[in-house]
Amino acid sequence: MEKFTKLVSTAVPLEIENIDTDQIIPARFLKATDKKGFGANVFRDWRFDKNGALNEDFALNKPEYSGKILVAGNNFGCGSSREHAAWALAGYGFKVIVSSFFADIFKGNSLNNGLLPIQVTPAVLHDIFSAIEDNPNVKIEVDLESQTLSVEGTTIEENFEIDPYKKTCLINGYDDIDYLLSKIEAINAYEAANI
Amino acid sequence: MKKTLFDKVWDAHVVETIENGPEILYIDKHLIHEVTSPQAFQELEERGIPILRPDKIVATADHNTPTLNQHLPVKDLLSRNQLKQLAENCKKNNITLYELGHKYNGIVHVMAPELGITQPGMTIVCGDSHTSTHGAFGTIAFGIGTSQVAQVFASQCLLLKKPKKMRVTVNGELKNGVLPKDVILYIISKIGTNAGTGYFCEYAGDVFENMTMEGRMTVCNMSIEMGARGGMIAPDETTFEYVAGRKFAPQGEEFNKKVEEWRTLKSDPEAVFDKEYEFDAADIEPMITYGTNPGMGIKINERIPISDDKSFEKSLEYMGFEAGETLLDKPINYVFIGSCTNSRIEDFRVAANFIRGKQKAPNVTAWLVPGSKQVESQIREEGLDDIFAEAGFQLRQPGCSACLAMNDDKIPQGEYCVSTSNRNFEGRQGQGSRTILASPLVAAATAVEGKIIDITKHLN
Ligand code: SF4
């Protein structure tokens, strides 16, 4: 996994609530057997109409918006457990997703792929959307070490929470498999006693 | 300390607790399928890590399989490749696979309970969010992402933070025509789609105690639709009777010993939950959804609520409905009875009972997709297939089918489908499709009438 410490980037605003993983990556694209290539189809049915024409009203297609941060409405990533959603977002180039609420499984999947989900209050989320609307080039800074998110030229400076274990993993770029394998003796002992 | 059912099962599976961090939870059974496993196999292979306990893994092909002509090679190349990959991965790693056409093949959450793989007190995971289904047996069962599939492959364990606990109690007697699907759609419509986030849910009360295992599975299946990782129901005589004699269930003396152990799996009377909800069975009616998340449900004879919330408006616009209108008499051209929520034998019995002697409306395309090969055979043994055929319904071969429309079973753009599945998200059943979730009874009635009807009037 790639290491994550600090990111300064513009952001893409997606002011829609309850974005489910079927929207992030529709099921018909789940036939691949490796992790690559999903980025091209992220939000497929919102980015393109059914004839494959670009939907110019959709935030990701608007020329004024770009960047490695996606700011999305409440309850992001609900629905199916498909990790393809995290692969698609990361594959498209996002490193951070900001929302006022994340679905459990999606949150875990993101963290396992070096994609940082940041939860802020609904009020702060609203302020971030306004800041981007006022200035699409506004820079957002995310510092994982100090767990802060700030928006340039505004008073928005927030502390966000992250599980300390997950934080260490992201900063060092290692994952749960490495950790679990280091515990194999305890696992064997558990099996011997219980199974 | 007084413990809940969830605590009891969880605590018995903790290998180690990391200071200030997650716990290492041991997994008893790992179910896999073709869509969310290939990248996990690949990950391990690339890192040169072997699969620790292949004997604790069971594989099936379900998401991406055709529901017609399963004996022929799969037409879609990508799908065929994915299925081939699963077969190769299983073979290479000594994993039991019930592939397409096998007599035990089926949707993972239908075939595992039916084979007795699912047992009370276990921890079960699968790369599929509806793994919550298995909670019906008093099992901690939940969906995981593909990275976690790889973790379980490597270590038979997961790193997890213990979720909080909630309980939903429904007491009283259900009205005629109110099915388990209505109960869970009602609960979600009341508490919302993220009431359960961060929680594991226990369902308690007469309503669940009096339910069959099939019904309990329908309820637990949709726990994820209220945001909960999983749902559980304390095992009881109904559970033990269901498990007894199944292929992979313990047999004879060993079974009796297990049952004694399983009897202790219930929340202590004074156990404390982080959150509780209580409902009265008498208030529940046949339900239907009108929007694009499973929480947007109403009683079938109610009107769509009015709200100026942006997401709500967007959702109604997608569905082509107006706030304040009724769904009764809406013409419907597609009906789907299937999915891991409602594709068990009981669901087809309910449908057949209503359909018997009637005819499918000419405008309706109706797909009946059993959850497994075994359900399919049972439908034939009980002669339900004749009832369906006489009424003009198409009985297909098992799989996920139109629940997620990865195969050819897609609802066309703009069309409504009254569906017994679990998700009414935009485009879930095909690009531009509009899903209305309902029970198998409501779905059958819609197929016969060609429109949504007030089923309560037909029952009384
Ligand atoms: S039937 Fe639908 S919800 Fe169930 S496992 Fe298959 S795709 Fe998922």
Side-chain angles (χ1 to χ4, degrees):
Chain A
M1 208 166 69
E2 230 178 279
K3 295 181 186 182
F4 188 113
T5 42
K6 198 177 198 174
L7 175 73
V8 182
S9 169
T10 50
V12 180
L14 200 51
E15 210 172 348
I16 301 173
E17 292 186 359
N18 302 314
I19 296 178
D20 56 76
T21 51
D22 273 83
Q23 307 318 317
I24 301 173
I25 184 84
R28 63 183 188 282
F29 298 114
L30 307 187
K31 295 180 182 180
T33 51
D34 63 33
K35 295 182 188 175
K36 290 183 210 87
F38 290 102
N41 293 316
V42 74
F43 297 116
R44 177 76 201 196
D45 294 341
W46 285 347
R47 275 165 63 212
F48 301 94
D49 72 12
K50 70 171 194 302
N51 302 318
L54 207 67
N55 168 12
E56 285 170 12
D57 291 336
F58 186 59
L60 267 72
N61 294 338
K62 290 190 179 167
E64 63 265 41
Y65 299 129
S66 65
K68 295 184 172 156
I69 300 174
L70 180 69
V71 185
N74 191 49
N75 196 23
F76 187 82
C78 54
S80 151
S81 63
R82 61 187 70 157
E83 195 157 318
H84 312 67
W87 301 331
L89 290 162
Y92 186 81
F94 290 119
K95 297 243 171 261
V96 169
I97 318 268
V98 182
S99 177
S100 49
F101 197 86
F102 290 94
D104 274 354
I105 303 182
F106 175 79
K107 195 170 169 181
N109 285 344
S110 303
L111 288 165
N112 283 333
N113 287 280
L115 181 65
L116 177 63
I118 297 182
Q119 185 171 328
V120 296
T121 63
V124 170
L125 186 70
H126 179 261
D127 291 347
I128 299 176
F129 277 128
S130 305
I132 302 171
E133 198 182 324
D134 291 347
N135 173 15
N137 293 321
V138 70
K139 292 262 193 324
I140 298 179
E141 182 179 314
V142 173
D143 188 332
L144 180 56
E145 204 84 58
S146 63
Q147 297 178 220
T148 51
L149 175 150
S150 50
V151 183
E152 170 201 74
T154 70
T155 52
I156 304 171
E157 184 166 351
E158 283 293 304
N159 278 310
F160 59 85
E161 281 185 32
I162 179 167
D163 182 275
Y165 165 79
K166 278 289 166 198
K167 180 176 171 180
T168 321
C169 286
L170 276 175
I171 288 176
N172 296 303
Y174 60 62
D175 67 12
D176 290 353
I177 294 188
D178 301 323
Y179 188 83
L180 283 166
L181 286 177
S182 75
K183 292 287 179 184
I184 206 75
E185 268 170 42
I187 296 168
N188 286 336
Y190 175 89
E191 282 187 335
N194 295 282
I195 307 295
Chain B
M1 249 261 293
K2 301 292 175 206
K3 287 185 169 190
T4 66
L5 163 63
F6 177 78
D7 293 325
K8 290 182 184 177
V9 181
W10 178 279
D11 295 351
H13 288 83
V14 174
V15 172
E16 205 176 289
T17 303
I18 302 165
E19 233 187 87
N20 288 324
E23 289 176 289
I24 302 178
L25 194 76
Y26 190 82
I27 303 302
D28 292 319
K29 273 282 172 259
H30 185 190
L31 308 171
I32 62 170
H33 61 83
E34 74 277 25
V35 177
T36 56
S37 69
Q39 291 88 351
F41 280 111
Q42 196 185 38
E43 169 105 39
L44 256 65
E45 207 168 283
E46 278 169 15
R47 291 163 73 163
I49 303 168
I51 292 188
L52 188 70
R53 297 282 176 259
D55 57 318
K56 294 193 180 290
I57 308 173
V58 177
T60 184
D62 55 1
H63 280 66
N64 200 358
T65 54
T67 54
L68 289 175
N69 294 321
Q70 291 188 344
H71 62 289
L72 297 178
V74 176
K75 269 195 266 163
D76 182 288
L77 264 186
L78 286 173
S79 307
R80 200 198 306 166
N81 180 44
Q82 206 173 45
L83 293 168
K84 195 176 110 213
Q85 192 82 55
L86 178 71
E88 281 173 14
N89 284 332
C90 288
K91 191 156 176 240
K92 227 191 289 175
N93 294 289
N94 270 322
I95 294 166
T96 307
L97 163 68
Y98 298 125
E99 60 191 332
L100 201 58
H102 191 284
K103 66 175 176 177
Y104 296 149
N105 175 258
I107 305 175
V108 59
H109 313 309
V110 177
M111 52 75 73
E114 167 180 273
L115 288 172
I117 294 169
T118 305
Q119 293 164 25
M122 281 183 162
T123 47
I124 299 185
V125 296
C126 173
D128 184 280
S129 55
H130 292 96
T131 308
S132 59
T133 311
H134 308 261
F137 292 78
T139 304
I140 292 187
F142 53 92
I144 56 178
T146 298
S147 296
Q148 291 174 307
V149 171
Q151 290 161 32
V152 183
F153 278 167
S155 68
Q156 204 53 38
C157 288
L158 280 173
L159 282 168
L160 295 166
K161 259 204 139 127
K162 189 174 181 182
K164 287 185 276 190
K165 292 151 288 180
M166 66 188 264
R167 178 161 61 184
V168 175
T169 308
V170 187
N171 279 314
E173 206 176 317
L174 290 175
K175 288 184 193 158
N176 198 7
V178 174
L179 301 185
K181 180 65 162 287
D182 300 309
V183 174
I184 188 65
L185 282 174
Y186 171 88
I187 293 171
I188 303 171
S189 78
K190 291 288 173 197
I191 69 179
T193 49
N194 55 33
T197 306
Y199 292 84
F200 230 86
C201 180
E202 180 175 339
Y203 301 95
D206 319 335
V207 163
F208 305 108
E209 282 164 26
N210 294 332
M211 252 180 213
T212 60
M213 287 316 290
E214 283 87 348
R216 293 179 191 182
M217 284 190 255
T218 300
V219 169
C220 289
N221 173 276
M222 289 194 69
S223 305
I224 184 80
E225 309 309 337
M226 58 189 192
R229 260 331 253 291
M232 296 177 94
I233 295 173
D236 58 9
E237 293 311 316
T238 309
T239 322
F240 310 145
E241 242 168 68
Y242 180 97
V243 176
R246 293 195 182 253
K247 178 145 176 83
F248 295 106
Q251 310 287 336
E253 222 2 76
E254 203 199 328
F255 179 78
N256 297 337
K257 251 176 49 202
K258 275 283 178 195
V259 167
E260 284 321 304
E261 218 180 288
W262 294 341
R263 280 188 211 284
T264 63
L265 297 176
K266 48 179 170 233
S267 291
D268 297 329
E270 283 120 54
V272 180
F273 289 81
D274 300 290
K275 184 149 105 173
E276 296 237 32
Y277 295 96
E278 220 164 304
F279 299 103
D280 181 357
D283 191 40
I284 309 178
E285 303 248 354
M287 299 286 293
I288 200 147
T289 64
Y290 58 87
T292 54
N293 74 57
M296 300 174 84
I298 47 174
K299 295 175 183 170
I300 200 160
N301 48 26
E302 266 176 354
R303 288 173 178 275
I304 296 176
I306 295 171
S307 157
D308 53 12
D309 177 84
K310 262 211 289 194
S311 312
F312 182 89
E313 284 171 358
K314 179 174 173 287
S315 182
L316 284 199
E317 196 188 317
Y318 181 84
M319 292 300 290
F321 292 147
E322 306 269 331
E325 77 169 335
T326 171
L327 292 185
L328 296 179
D329 291 332
K330 284 269 176 212
I332 302 291
N333 295 332
Y334 288 84
V335 169
F336 171 59
I337 301 185
S339 92
C340 58
T341 316
N342 285 118
S343 64
R344 299 182 178 81
I345 188 62
E346 196 170 89
D347 301 313
F348 291 99
R349 284 189 196 132
V350 166
N353 242 332
F354 184 87
I355 290 167
R356 192 189 314 268
K358 301 187 179 84
Q359 276 298 316
K360 177 185 73 63
N363 61 309
V364 172
T365 304
W367 295 328
L368 308 178
V369 183
S372 70
K373 273 298 221 201
Q374 296 210 71
V375 173
E376 188 187 355
S377 319
Q378 211 170 341
I379 288 175
R380 294 188 199 285
E381 269 160 39
E382 295 182 16
L384 308 184
D385 55 331
D386 294 335
I387 299 174
F388 296 137
E390 274 160 32
F393 285 78
Q394 194 180 17
L395 180 65
R396 296 200 159 206
Q397 290 172 298
C400 294
S401 178
C403 171
L404 91 166
M406 260 190 95
N407 64 2
D408 289 338
D409 308 347
K410 296 185 189 352
I411 308 302
Q413 172 97 12
E415 289 284 357
Y416 294 107
C417 176
V418 169
S419 174
T420 65
S421 54
N422 43 51
R423 284 186 175 142
N424 49 355
F425 298 155
E426 283 184 26
R428 169 84 178 178
Q429 298 192 286
Q431 245 181 308
S433 63
R434 294 157 159 173
T435 303
I436 296 170
L437 302 175
S439 76
L441 176 61
V442 169
T446 308
V448 166
E449 299 293 331
K451 59 183 186 184
I452 298 173
I453 59 159
D454 186 354
I455 189 76
T456 56
K457 293 215 174 98
H458 284 244
L459 298 168
N460 302 326

